[in-house]
Amino acid sequence: MKNFKLRLIIIYLSLIFSALNNLTAQNPIICDQFSADPTARVFNGRVYVYPSHDILAKPGHGRVGWFCMEDYHVFSSSNLTDWTDHGVIVSQNKVSWVDSTSFSMWAPDCIERNGRYYFYFPANMKAGLGRGSSIGVAIADNPAGTYTPQPEPIKNVRGIDPNLFIDKDGQAYMYWAMGNISVAKLKENMLELESDPQVVGELPRQGLKEGPFLFERNGIYYMTYPHVQNKIERLEYAVGDNPMGPFKVMGVIMGESPMGCWTNHHSIIEFNNQWYLFYHENDLSPKFDKNRSVRIDSLFFNNDGTIQKVTPTFRGVGVTSALKNIKIDRYNHKSETGVSVAFLDTLNTFKGWKTILGKQNAWISYNAVDFGGKKIKSVRVKALSQTGGTLQIRLDKTDGTLLAEVKLPKGTGWNTIDTSMLKYQKGIHNLVVVLKDNNPVEIDWIQFVN
Ligand code: FUB
């Protein structure tokens, strides 16, 4: 009996634990904490994201009003929609050479060599060991850890934003930033420089450059980097036929943040035959851009290898199951007037957003919803309407097939309402939510039930 109770407790705790660690999101992809500077890597058919972990500095705990990072988490996904947080992999108080009061664990990277995973991170050294930011390495047998930090940082490197690349011939390179971008060859052990650092000199002279990310496609080496051309950073790229350059500056991958986030920091991967740009915005902290959030959008190449400019979106990437909460506030398109998106709770932005449809025929659309193959019986909506509005849930377009009409009761509280489907649907479709009358409705999420 005792054993049975114990087993029940363990099952209950593991359910809570897995619920806490499984994140489902559009943009930003991580909504229960701040995350920035995402380096994405594909390891064993899964995407791993190694971001910085922004926290809010407090007096005596980091520098108030500035970046504040004390550790790193790693996240992974098999579909770019459902993300697992594997927890903390390296923290400032567990690396012997790091000043554990510096909160300086900025943008990291991770790379695999011979079945081992090398996690590179910048941090400030302890007093007496040196000044400023060095770059350390932690090693694991699995992408999610357990990582063991090396006792010393890499010699002859001062800087931030390490980025690693291993060419087809097996030669490894490390890039990093310190106003400009530098590169050096790495030894086979991945822990020591094999060549003297050299500045990548062909990039724009004026304006800060940081966050290098180098990748190769069809024999072209793409050196991509955030650069302050005007007021804040934008993502640019240059190309060459050698990992050490020379590079030719080509143009902009993503323009300045529409939200005014001063930094951007990115990585680019190919996964299941599609290229993706991982970057950050300050979605969950619109008034303080040192608390950022990781996003993903698709990236496309032209036939000549040039990169098409990426427009940042809320919707991001990936297919959303109709049977899960669909957060239509992460929309693709909306009517020109009558729609707004706001935080559910301005004091706790991690609770996410709501959509407000304010006038008749206002609409919002959300793409790539997978209805699967089974019959869907009803639609469940979490919404409120002070004056009792009615929502129309339509397929693909504003006058598309009417799936259901959801009538909200009058009131100030949230309701979760199930409404029978008028038509059932299979496959992947866009969802369009239209306000039928002039009674405003606030929507938290929509989900289908089979
Ligand atoms: O996250 C701190 C710094 O901001 C990074 O190291 C830079 O690349 C910029 O994103």
Side-chain angles (χ1 to χ4, degrees):
M1 187 62 189
K2 236 186 185 174
N3 266 349
F4 179 66
K5 265 193 184 161
L6 195 65
R7 234 182 292 151
L8 271 185
I9 291 170
I10 290 170
I11 291 171
Y12 179 68
L13 286 177
S14 64
L15 279 178
I16 291 178
F17 186 72
S18 65
L20 282 178
N21 281 280
N22 279 315
L23 317 164
T24 304
Q26 297 81 52
N27 276 337
I29 61 166
I30 299 159
C31 284
D32 65 345
Q33 60 195 281
F34 299 118
S35 55
D37 308 326
T39 298
R41 297 287 180 192
V42 182
F43 294 136
N44 313 318
R46 227 178 139 76
V47 177
Y48 287 82
V49 176
Y50 300 87
S52 307
H53 181 197
D54 288 342
I55 53 175
L56 198 56
K58 291 182 278 199
H61 194 90
R63 181 174 148 197
V64 175
W66 189 238
F67 299 109
C68 183
M69 294 100 130
E70 63 186 343
D71 59 24
Y72 298 99
H73 287 228
V74 56
F75 301 82
S76 78
S77 174
S78 61
N79 58 10
L80 300 178
T81 299
D82 303 305
W83 289 91
T84 301
D85 179 357
H86 298 278
V88 172
I89 51 169
V90 171
S91 62
Q92 64 178 7
N93 52 15
K94 299 237 169 78
V95 184
S96 56
W97 57 268
V98 170
D99 173 359
S100 61
T101 61
S102 62
F103 296 87
S104 58
M105 305 199 101
W106 288 17
D109 193 1
C110 187
I111 198 159
E112 183 266 344
R113 175 156 218 153
N114 299 330
R116 306 197 82 194
Y117 297 84
Y118 295 82
F119 178 74
Y120 293 77
F121 58 95
N124 288 357
M125 282 178 285
K126 276 185 175 149
L129 295 181
R131 278 171 65 82
S133 181
S134 275
I135 292 175
V137 191
I139 306 173
D141 292 327
N142 288 294
T146 307
Y147 282 91
T148 306
Q150 294 296 294
E152 287 174 10
I154 300 177
K155 290 197 176 63
N156 294 333
V157 180
R158 286 282 179 281
I160 58 168
D161 298 355
N163 167 238
L164 281 296
F165 175 72
I166 302 178
D167 207 358
K168 287 187 230 104
D169 61 4
Q171 177 64 56
Y173 299 84
M174 185 167 82
Y175 305 81
W176 65 93
M178 207 60 208
N180 282 309
I181 290 169
S182 295
V183 55
K185 288 184 178 172
L186 272 190
K187 288 187 182 168
E188 175 92 25
N189 66 13
M190 301 298 281
L191 302 173
E192 293 169 280
L193 298 192
E194 187 179 292
S195 69
D196 286 336
Q198 68 183 54
V199 169
V200 180
E202 307 81 32
L203 307 184
R205 291 229 174 128
Q206 302 290 320
L208 177 82
K209 296 165 287 297
E210 54 180 3
F213 186 84
L214 188 120
F215 67 98
E216 184 267 344
R217 178 180 178 270
N218 296 339
I220 301 175
Y221 294 86
Y222 291 81
M223 160 54 69
T224 66
Y225 51 93
H227 171 223
V228 184
Q229 170 71 27
N230 301 309
K231 287 192 173 152
I232 61 176
E233 289 181 344
R234 64 185 196 185
L235 303 179
E236 300 177 10
Y237 75 109
V239 296
D241 54 16
N242 185 293
M244 294 183 93
F247 295 102
K248 182 176 174 228
V249 173
M250 297 300 288
V252 177
I253 302 172
M254 177 173 272
E256 294 179 357
S257 152
M259 297 182 65
C261 186
W262 200 94
T263 62
N264 201 349
H265 187 119
H266 69 298
S267 55
I268 293 171
I269 58 163
E270 185 182 22
F271 180 61
N272 292 341
N273 302 317
Q274 172 63 52
W275 287 83
Y276 295 100
L277 175 72
F278 288 68
Y279 63 101
H280 68 224
E281 261 288 5
N282 53 324
D283 291 284
L284 295 167
S285 172
K287 292 191 182 142
F288 181 56
D289 69 354
K290 310 287 178 291
N291 281 174
R292 300 154 295 176
S293 293
V294 170
R295 289 178 169 209
I296 318 174
D297 274 301
S298 300
L299 178 136
F300 299 91
F301 291 86
N302 296 312
N303 290 340
D304 62 1
T306 52
I307 298 177
Q308 293 180 12
K309 199 168 164 186
V310 179
T311 303
T313 74
F314 293 126
R315 175 61 183 85
V317 300
V319 171
T320 303
S321 165
L323 305 178
K324 289 189 175 167
N325 287 177
I326 305 163
K327 294 168 185 150
I328 55 167
D329 46 77
R330 308 292 87 198
Y331 60 91
N332 292 94
H333 300 290
K334 61 182 178 63
S335 51
E336 270 177 26
T337 56
V339 188
S340 57
V341 168
F343 284 118
L344 283 163
D345 178 351
T346 47
L347 298 178
N348 181 2
T349 58
F350 294 129
K351 287 188 180 163
W353 294 266
K354 60 184 174 185
T355 304
I356 303 149
L357 297 181
K359 68 171 191 191
Q360 189 172 33
N361 294 330
W363 59 269
I364 196 158
S365 76
Y366 181 104
N367 78 359
V369 174
D370 187 2
F371 288 85
K374 280 200 205 153
K375 183 167 178 171
I376 305 272
K377 283 198 233 121
S378 54
V379 60
R380 185 168 293 162
V381 177
K382 185 171 175 198
L384 74 82
S385 176
Q386 298 201 22
T387 48
T390 300
L391 297 173
Q392 294 184 329
I393 316 278
R394 293 188 178 269
L395 215 57
D396 296 322
K397 38 192 186 143
T398 47
D399 59 354
T401 307
L402 182 64
L403 295 181
E405 271 200 358
V406 180
K407 172 91 187 119
L408 273 300
K410 284 185 194 174
T412 52
W414 288 98
N415 308 279
T416 302
I417 297 176
D418 279 16
T419 306
S420 296
M421 298 279 277
L422 299 170
K423 282 254 167 28
Y424 75 92
Q425 197 55 48
K426 290 179 180 171
I428 296 176
H429 291 273
N430 299 344
L431 204 63
V432 185
V433 182
V434 187
L435 186 64
K436 190 179 173 190
D437 48 37
N438 265 318
N439 295 304
V441 176
E442 300 186 13
I443 306 149
D444 187 355
W445 48 257
I446 292 179
Q447 178 183 339
F448 292 87
V449 182
N450 61 15

